[in-house]
């Protein structure tokens, strides 16, 4: 019995050691994104979500067009994870609190939290994005647009912000602008099925408007 337990412990230790050896560095993950093997690319995209930086955005945008669906999904998740990291422990703590307040429906308190984050770290694009989303949810479209302007200054790959602009312009019935921003979002991330459906809807609305003007 003791021999069996010892053997099992040895196997587990070897497995753990092998797993540790397979953990990719950021540089290895970047290189592995272009490997022929799909599983390697999937693992690379996931790893960049853990250790990647804003500088890796262009590579992950390219991975959003990968022929493998799972790689595309992981690349999108990696981008969101990278965007959520501020590099400051206190800011990250506040960010998590703001997200929890947002999820709980405490929108005004969440706005206050993300405002505090912006005061502490104004270059942190994702704080602006979260506050823009909150302003949209409470119906303050002007402030929402202003905050998304700040997001795009800091993170031009932010397909979520571009989709947010489009939602506002649909609500305001500025369909040409809504179509423009929807297409920009889809150009960066072609996997946004909701945006694709919105483009179809906006095009129909524009066609109806043209017919009414004849």
């Amino acid at each position: 019995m003791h021999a069996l337990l010892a053997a099992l412990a040895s196997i587990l230790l070897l497995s753990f050691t092998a797993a540790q050896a397979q953990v990719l560095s950021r540089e290895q993950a970047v290189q592995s994104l272009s490997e022929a093997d799909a599983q390697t690319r999937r693992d690379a995209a996931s790893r960049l979500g853990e250790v990647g930086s804003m500088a890796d955005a262009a590579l992950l945008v390219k991975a959003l067009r990968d022929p493998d669906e799972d790689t595309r999904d992981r690349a999108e998740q990696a981008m969101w994870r990278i965007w959520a990291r501020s590099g400051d422990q206190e800011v990250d703590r506040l960010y998590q609190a703001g997200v929890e307040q947002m999820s709980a429906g405490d929108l005004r308190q969440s706005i206050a939290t993300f405002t505090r984050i912006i005061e502490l770290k104004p270059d942190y694009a994702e704080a602006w994005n979260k506050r823009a989303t909150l302003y949209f949810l409470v119906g303050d479209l002007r402030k929402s647009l202003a905050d998304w302007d700040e997001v795009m200054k800091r993170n031009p790959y932010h397909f979520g912000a571009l989709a947010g602009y489009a939602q506002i312009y649909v609500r305001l019935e500025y369909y040409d602008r809504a179509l423009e921003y929807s297409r920009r979002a889809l150009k960066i991330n072609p996997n946004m099925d909701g945006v694709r459906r919105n483009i179809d809807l906006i095009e129909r609305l524009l066609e109806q408007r043209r017919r009414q003007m004849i």
Side-chain angles (χ1 to χ4, degrees):
M1 185 66 178
H2 289 298
L4 178 60
L5 290 174
L8 287 173
S10 179
I11 291 170
L12 289 172
L13 180 60
L14 287 171
S15 299
F16 178 72
T17 303
Q20 281 187 312
Q22 293 171 6
V23 172
L24 300 174
S25 68
R26 175 177 170 269
E27 292 75 16
Q28 289 171 329
V30 166
Q31 292 174 356
S32 295
L33 268 182
S34 58
E35 291 290 333
D37 179 64
Q39 186 59 52
T40 299
R41 298 197 305 276
R42 294 169 192 163
D43 293 342
S46 294
R47 182 60 176 157
L48 283 176
E50 297 170 354
V51 298
S53 68
M54 293 291 285
D56 299 318
L59 290 171
L60 288 166
V61 166
K62 185 177 179 181
L64 293 174
R65 288 165 173 74
D66 194 279
D68 176 62
E69 182 180 0
D70 197 9
T71 300
R72 297 196 301 271
D73 289 343
R74 294 191 189 198
E76 180 175 332
Q77 293 167 17
M79 293 181 77
W80 283 109
R81 292 183 68 183
I82 289 170
W83 294 345
R85 289 197 290 270
S86 72
D88 182 291
Q89 188 173 359
E90 174 61 13
V91 169
D92 287 345
R93 184 190 67 77
L94 285 170
Y95 179 90
Q96 185 59 40
V99 169
E100 291 172 0
Q101 291 160 354
M102 190 177 182
S103 298
D106 193 353
L107 303 186
R108 292 295 178 185
Q109 186 56 50
S110 187
I111 287 172
T113 299
F114 284 108
T115 298
R116 178 58 181 155
I117 293 172
I118 290 167
E119 291 169 350
L120 291 170
K121 198 174 181 68
D123 287 338
Y124 182 29
E126 196 55 29
W128 292 96
N129 180 58
K130 287 292 186 289
R131 195 175 71 169
T133 302
L134 287 158
Y135 279 140
F136 175 79
L137 292 173
V138 300
D140 197 332
L141 304 187
R142 181 184 61 81
K143 288 184 177 179
S144 185
L145 286 172
D147 275 6
W148 271 320
D149 286 344
E150 298 297 329
V151 175
M152 299 309 297
K153 290 176 186 176
R154 295 161 174 80
N155 182 1
Y157 294 111
H158 207 303
F159 49 81
L162 292 168
Y165 279 110
Q167 290 186 59
I168 288 180
Y169 286 130
V170 166
R171 185 172 293 188
L172 296 174
E173 299 185 5
Y174 295 164
Y175 299 132
D176 287 316
R177 291 185 188 179
L179 188 59
E180 173 195 349
Y181 280 100
S182 295
R183 286 173 173 167
R184 285 176 61 185
L186 208 60
K187 185 176 181 180
I188 296 172
N189 184 359
N191 308 296
M192 302 173 76
D193 292 336
V195 171
R196 198 180 304 278
R197 289 192 295 270
N198 284 343
I199 287 175
D200 292 338
L201 172 62
I202 295 165
E203 287 176 338
R204 288 198 299 271
L205 292 169
L206 282 169
E207 180 61 27
Q208 291 174 7
R209 179 173 286 179
R210 280 192 287 268
R211 290 177 179 176
Q212 291 171 358
M213 293 174 66
I214 297 175

